[in-house]
Amino acid sequence: MAIEANTKKTGRVQPPSMVQKQLWAKAAGRCEFRGCNKILYSDNLTQLRDNLSIISHIIAYEKDGPRGDAILSEKLKTDISNLMLTCKDHGKIIDSYEYIAAYPVELLREYKKEHEDRIKILTGVLENFKTHILLFLIPIGERTFNIDQSQIFQAIQPKYPSSENPYSIDLSEVCYAETKEGWSFLCQTINQKFKDIFKTGANRRDFNHISVFALAPIPLLVFLGSLIGDIDHVDLYHKHRSTDKWTWKDTSEDDGEDYYQITGPEKHNTSSKTALAISVSGEIDKTNIRGILGADCNLYEIKAAKPGLDFLSSKAKLLAFSSAYRELLNDIRCVNGHYNEIHLFSAAPPPVAIESGRTVLPKCDPPIKVYDFIGKDGGFIYALTINEHSKG
Ligand SMILES: [Zn+2]
């Protein structure tokens, strides 16, 4: 039994406007009669916009109507589960006593479910395009940062942000000393803010895709990486100097190149300390490392083909870094064991620094002591440790 959705006829039951809207949404404005799928908000031929729909009752709103029922007619007369959005032709068929036998309740319910499930699945595809944006802004010395939001929205395309306001760990107002206590204070603060955003348990599962825009000292980028290690899908961005934008460049320009070169000691000496140098945005000074860890340290390096501030131009290069770095960690673990620390020295853009913390396997890889570069004269100085775990 059918009623015209936009008219009020005496004796006819008009479902509440909210129910009508929900039905329109569930049907995506198309006829739910199997095989029809006609658009009901504009005329196909003239393209004139009008409401061409009928809201049809599966069980009639009166007990004597088509498929009417002494109890259910009254009970379900405005229940969305009993309503179908149809074109006028199919509304008439549903409404006709003549075709009751051909269109029993079960079949119409099947039509409705089939149509609404299909809409839900098709429109649900967009869910995969949703991303949670995380800003991570920690001053480097006196330098504070902010990021233009329109650039963020541009960079994440074709993804769209989960909310208008990005999640933010912004410590621009915080003063800290680059001392052991200073780093430890920052890590605690970041950890707390991170927990507030990415709550534990059920809420955490909603964060299956995040996009990170970070400007911070390298040790804290590595630390951030260790916090987001268990999030399945993470897109990392940085500002490209050549374009002044956060959008990744196309990869086609540098396809087929070997992006990274890995070197290590001729023989790993288990009684010496182990260092890992990442030379991507610049080249690490090895004499500085040997000065800190001893001339006999086991020195591994992962080095970009052409280290420099413009090197990391494409996502492909970041991906290549992740797999090369992961492979190197595996190799080092084999000779170094789970417990002997790796000392990490990094000249890297934020995505690489984050990735070098994110790729570390908790408890499985050795603890990683991260150093901060405090300038040409001062060289590197120890800042913080990620993946700390004790023997046994
Ligand atoms: Zn139809």
Side-chain angles (χ1 to χ4, degrees), residues 38-39 41-52:
K38 188 182 169 191
I39 284 176
Y41 44 81
S42 70
D43 177 40
N44 202 15
L45 192 64
T46 62
Q47 295 300 310
L48 290 172
R49 292 193 165 267
D50 197 1
N51 183 349
L52 306 172

Side-chain angles (χ1 to χ4, degrees), residues 140-141 176-179 183 216-220 288 292 344-346 369-375 378-384:
I140 299 178
Y176 66 94
E178 282 160 342
T179 59
W183 293 115
I218 281 185
L220 297 176
N288 190 201
I292 298 166
L344 184 72
F345 301 84
S346 186
K369 292 178 89 92
V370 189
Y371 287 70
D372 187 35
F373 186 65
I374 54 165
F380 283 97
I381 193 158
Y382 167 72
L384 56 94

Side-chain angles (χ1 to χ4, degrees), residues 247-390:
T247 311
W248 285 108
K249 273 190 236 165
D250 209 350
T251 48
S252 51
E253 64 191 71
D254 41 37
D255 262 358
E257 232 180 283
D258 271 341
Y259 297 136
Y260 302 94
Q261 193 188 331
I262 291 173
T263 51
E266 262 174 45
K267 194 176 180 305
H268 186 98
N269 182 354
T270 42
S271 57
S272 306
K273 290 181 173 164
T274 297
L276 203 170
I278 298 175
S279 298
V280 175
S281 54
E283 215 167 317
I284 301 277
D285 175 11
K286 319 264 188 326
T287 41
N288 190 201
I289 296 178
R290 290 195 180 97
I292 298 166
L293 301 180
D296 63 342
C297 69
N298 303 297
L299 182 46
Y300 295 84
E301 186 183 37
I302 173 163
K303 186 174 154 190
K306 292 180 198 111
L309 292 172
D310 295 321
F311 173 78
L312 195 75
S313 53
S314 65
K315 272 188 182 177
K317 286 178 174 170
L318 180 60
L319 215 66
F321 170 81
S322 298
S323 53
Y325 177 75
R326 186 59 253 166
E327 216 173 294
L328 181 56
L329 282 183
N330 289 346
D331 291 349
I332 294 176
R333 199 179 58 214
C334 281
V335 286
N336 190 63
H338 297 275
Y339 306 112
N340 297 323
E341 296 147 344
I342 296 175
H343 299 255
L344 184 72
F345 301 84
S346 186
V352 165
I354 295 171
E355 213 42 24
S356 66
R358 196 171 90 88
T359 316
V360 171
L361 298 174
K363 306 268 148 101
C364 180
D365 283 323
I368 301 208
K369 292 178 89 92
V370 189
Y371 287 70
D372 187 35
F373 186 65
I374 54 165
K376 285 225 166 347
D377 303 330
F380 283 97
I381 193 158
Y382 167 72
L384 56 94
T385 303
I386 62 159
N387 200 34
E388 264 178 302
H389 53 89
S390 53

Side-chain angles (χ1 to χ4, degrees), residues 31-33 35-38 40 85-91:
C31 176
E32 297 192 288
F33 200 87
C36 178
N37 207 34
K38 188 182 169 191
L40 304 171
L85 192 76
T86 64
C87 67
K88 289 184 178 166
D89 289 348
H90 292 118

Side-chain angles (χ1 to χ4, degrees), residues 21-323:
K21 281 180 189 153
Q22 278 174 356
L23 185 60
W24 264 87
K26 278 176 174 262
R30 290 171 177 273
C31 176
E32 297 192 288
F33 200 87
R34 182 182 277 162
C36 178
N37 207 34
K38 188 182 169 191
I39 284 176
L40 304 171
Y41 44 81
S42 70
D43 177 40
N44 202 15
L45 192 64
T46 62
Q47 295 300 310
L48 290 172
R49 292 193 165 267
D50 197 1
N51 183 349
L52 306 172
S53 75
I54 282 187
I55 292 180
S56 302
H57 281 76
I58 297 175
I59 293 171
Y61 56 86
E62 286 169 331
K63 66 180 192 321
D64 305 326
R67 295 164 300 274
D69 181 274
I71 297 159
L72 293 176
S73 284
E74 181 57 29
K75 197 176 164 198
L76 298 177
K77 67 181 177 188
T78 61
D79 193 309
I80 194 164
S81 70
N82 188 42
L83 303 172
M84 280 175 79
L85 192 76
T86 64
C87 67
K88 289 184 178 166
D89 289 348
H90 292 118
K92 278 203 176 105
I93 288 174
I94 291 173
D95 203 18
S96 162
Y97 289 94
E98 212 178 313
Y99 301 118
I100 294 174
Y103 298 102
V105 173
E106 297 70 35
L107 184 65
L108 292 177
R109 282 189 178 147
E110 215 175 283
Y111 285 8
K112 177 181 167 71
K113 184 175 181 331
E114 200 174 87
H115 183 90
E116 291 175 10
D117 283 355
R118 185 163 49 93
I119 297 298
K120 199 172 171 185
I121 290 165
L122 289 173
T123 52
V125 169
L126 261 179
E127 275 292 297
N128 295 336
F129 281 85
K130 192 167 81 177
T131 184
H132 299 277
I133 293 166
L134 175 66
L135 304 185
F136 186 74
L137 303 171
I138 322 285
I140 299 178
E142 304 271 286
R143 246 177 99 200
T144 56
F145 307 106
N146 58 50
I147 304 172
D148 180 356
Q149 201 150 312
S150 64
Q151 286 220 6
I152 292 175
F153 292 165
Q154 207 179 346
I156 61 168
Q157 277 171 24
K159 288 203 156 47
Y160 67 91
S162 62
S163 77
E164 219 171 295
N165 299 316
Y167 295 99
S168 168
I169 297 177
D170 184 348
L171 302 188
S172 300
E173 306 297 316
V174 173
C175 291
Y176 66 94
E178 282 160 342
T179 59
K180 201 174 164 231
E181 292 73 28
W183 293 115
S184 152
F185 161 74
L186 284 172
C187 288
Q188 279 169 29
T189 312
I190 291 164
N191 208 6
Q192 189 51 54
K193 284 184 181 281
F194 184 81
K195 274 185 185 156
D196 291 345
I197 296 172
F198 299 89
K199 304 236 169 63
T200 48
N203 290 338
R204 177 119 195 186
R205 261 180 267 129
D206 299 336
F207 287 89
N208 56 0
H209 191 290
I210 66 167
S211 298
V212 182
F213 294 77
L215 287 162
I218 281 185
L220 297 176
L221 293 167
V222 179
F223 179 69
L224 173 69
S226 72
L227 293 180
I228 58 174
D230 66 337
I231 295 173
D232 287 342
H233 306 285
V234 177
D235 279 346
L236 304 170
Y237 294 88
H238 75 136
K239 197 171 191 172
H240 303 271
R241 280 204 325 161
S242 55
T243 57
D244 212 29
K245 291 204 165 78
W246 292 75
T247 311
W248 285 108
K249 273 190 236 165
D250 209 350
T251 48
S252 51
E253 64 191 71
D254 41 37
D255 262 358
E257 232 180 283
D258 271 341
Y259 297 136
Y260 302 94
Q261 193 188 331
I262 291 173
T263 51
E266 262 174 45
K267 194 176 180 305
H268 186 98
N269 182 354
T270 42
S271 57
S272 306
K273 290 181 173 164
T274 297
L276 203 170
I278 298 175
S279 298
V280 175
S281 54
E283 215 167 317
I284 301 277
D285 175 11
K286 319 264 188 326
T287 41
N288 190 201
I289 296 178
R290 290 195 180 97
I292 298 166
L293 301 180
D296 63 342
C297 69
N298 303 297
L299 182 46
Y300 295 84
E301 186 183 37
I302 173 163
K303 186 174 154 190
K306 292 180 198 111
L309 292 172
D310 295 321
F311 173 78
L312 195 75
S313 53
S314 65
K315 272 188 182 177
K317 286 178 174 170
L318 180 60
L319 215 66
F321 170 81
S322 298
S323 53

